Amino acid sequence: MIKNIIFDIGDVLVKTRQLGFFVDKGFDAKTAARLAEATYLTPVWKELDRGVWSLDEIVDSFVKRAPELECEIRSSMADLGGFIMQYPYAKEWINDLKAQGYKVYCLSNISDKICTDCAPELDFLPLTDGNILSYKERLIKPDTAIFTLTLERFGIVADETIFTDDNADNIAVANSLGIHGIVFTDKPAVDKEIWRLSQ
């Protein structure tokens, strides 16, 4: 019997705007793409989510990879407001699932910087029954430990739990622990799977 729904946040409940964010900062499309490649699309971004390195260390690492964009990188990273945008369905989806009797949680790779600068876009977090945010735990998906932590902290049973994430690697780890993983493509598809697994 399914009792728990765990959501990833990025590109499930919010849209990640790695190109639009830089365009909004006033950069042309070509420069925006180069900035995304120098920041969000590097392995270093995962360290931002992990929360071990300081922001200065993160930014310095970005600059080291693309020194010709130093000014652009430093100015952009000063304020990440607008980097994510909440999907219109996010709060309603959480509330609807809770009204159906499910416990709802979030498990996300996300940084303190995003949570601070984009706080209005994350206003659904208090609606959930609990959250595991990578920067607080110093762990990131797809590390098995962050999934195990989620189960243990909230006292939930893997076989009674659905986890949806847009990253197939994360879903594979969830499945390996006995959690019912659903690769997120869109809300209707996930709703259909939740209904099927709940029968």
Side-chain angles (χ1 to χ4, degrees):
M1 183 182 198
I2 299 299
K3 297 180 180 180
N4 315 292
I5 310 295
I6 304 177
F7 286 112
D8 174 35
I9 293 177
D11 296 315
V12 175
L13 297 176
V14 304
K15 177 179 177 59
T16 304
R17 304 181 61 250
Q18 63 264 34
L19 289 178
F21 167 76
F22 291 113
V23 171
D24 288 350
K25 293 283 187 181
F27 301 112
D28 59 50
K30 183 178 179 181
T31 303
R34 290 171 63 211
L35 284 165
E37 289 173 2
T39 57
Y40 180 73
L41 297 176
T42 70
V44 175
W45 192 272
K46 289 185 178 180
E47 298 308 319
L48 185 63
D49 289 343
R50 194 190 306 272
V52 175
W53 295 11
S54 71
L55 181 61
D56 286 343
E57 288 175 313
I58 296 289
V59 173
D60 287 346
S61 183
F62 290 153
V63 169
K64 192 172 182 179
R65 289 170 176 269
E68 73 281 5
L69 295 172
E70 178 173 5
C71 291
E72 293 88 343
I73 290 171
R74 293 192 185 280
S75 65
S76 297
M77 289 296 298
D79 182 0
L80 292 179
F83 194 85
I84 59 172
M85 180 175 65
Q86 184 180 137
Y87 284 123
Y89 58 72
K91 289 195 283 285
E92 182 181 4
W93 200 7
I94 291 168
N95 286 330
D96 283 350
L97 289 168
K98 290 183 70 175
Q100 293 174 52
Y102 297 105
K103 295 285 189 179
V104 179
Y105 306 92
C106 285
L107 166 56
S108 183
N109 287 353
I110 196 167
S111 67
D112 184 25
K113 180 71 171 166
I114 290 287
C115 286
T116 299
D117 293 353
C118 303
E121 302 302 320
L122 297 168
D123 65 356
F124 52 81
L125 289 174
L127 301 177
T128 69
D129 294 289
N131 303 288
I132 297 291
L133 306 179
S134 61
Y135 81 91
K136 291 183 177 181
E137 311 302 336
R138 307 296 175 91
L139 294 167
I140 59 172
K141 298 175 291 183
D143 188 335
T144 302
I146 198 168
F147 290 91
T148 302
L149 174 66
T150 304
L151 297 175
E152 292 176 350
R153 180 167 297 171
F154 301 124
I156 57 182
V157 177
D159 190 54
E160 297 175 347
T161 303
I162 289 172
F163 171 63
T164 185
D165 191 306
D166 62 303
N167 186 311
D169 290 340
N170 297 336
I171 293 299
V173 173
N175 286 335
S176 75
L177 295 172
I179 299 168
H180 301 277
I182 302 171
V183 177
F184 181 88
T185 52
D186 57 47
K187 178 182 180 294
V190 173
D191 278 333
K192 184 176 180 180
E193 278 298 286
I194 291 173
W195 181 87
R196 185 185 69 80
L197 291 166
S198 297
Q199 299 311 299

